[in-house]
Amino acid sequence: MAERTTVRQDETYAGIARSEEFRGLRRRHRAFAFPWTIAFLAWYLLYVVCANWAPGFMSTKVAGKINVALVFGLLQFLSTFVIAFLYSRHARRRLDPVATELNARYEKAVNQ
């Protein structure tokens, strides 16, 4: 009995994974995740490169004892939160509705 259920689950999942809706869901996710990951890694690499090879620039005072390195470091945290917020909004609007529908289709097929 359990083996039959597992086979049904596997077949159902495989069918959903081949569907246009699922492929579209993956495309939407990748369209957001890949560019933002590359952008963040480039931004982080810029910070590391400047810290290692441009210490004069990084030690430039911005205001009082605050220098460019501190501003860059704080902006790393800010950019992380901004990207997380943007992803949350993207997922809620563009991914979650499709994923919910696909999950409902899966549950219905498996529980019949």
Side-chain angles (χ1 to χ4, degrees):
M1 175 77 166
E3 185 175 312
R4 211 175 330 163
T5 302
T6 302
V7 170
R8 185 177 342 151
Q9 290 171 339
D10 292 347
E11 290 172 354
T12 302
Y13 179 79
I16 288 173
R18 287 189 301 269
S19 72
E20 185 55 41
E21 294 90 349
F22 187 79
R23 285 193 298 258
L25 181 64
R26 287 179 53 193
R27 256 191 316 275
R28 288 177 183 175
H29 170 72
R30 289 176 179 170
F32 183 93
F34 289 168
W36 279 104
T37 299
I38 291 166
F40 181 80
L41 290 174
W43 163 235
Y44 179 74
L45 184 59
L46 174 68
Y47 176 71
V48 171
V49 166
C50 287
N52 283 315
W53 289 288
F57 170 69
M58 294 299 272
S59 64
T60 302
K61 301 288 184 199
V62 176
K65 293 185 177 188
I66 299 173
N67 61 20
V68 172
L70 180 61
V71 172
F72 270 34
L74 293 174
L75 287 175
Q76 291 290 319
F77 287 102
L78 178 63
S79 64
T80 301
F81 290 116
V82 168
I83 292 170
F85 168 76
L86 292 173
Y87 180 77
S88 174
R89 187 177 68 175
H90 172 74
R92 187 175 55 252
R93 292 178 178 175
R94 308 261 344 246
L95 305 178
D96 291 349
V98 177
T100 300
E101 190 273 322
L102 289 172
N103 188 56
R105 187 186 318 170
Y106 173 81
E107 292 294 331
K108 181 179 177 186
V110 168
N111 293 324
Q112 285 183 350

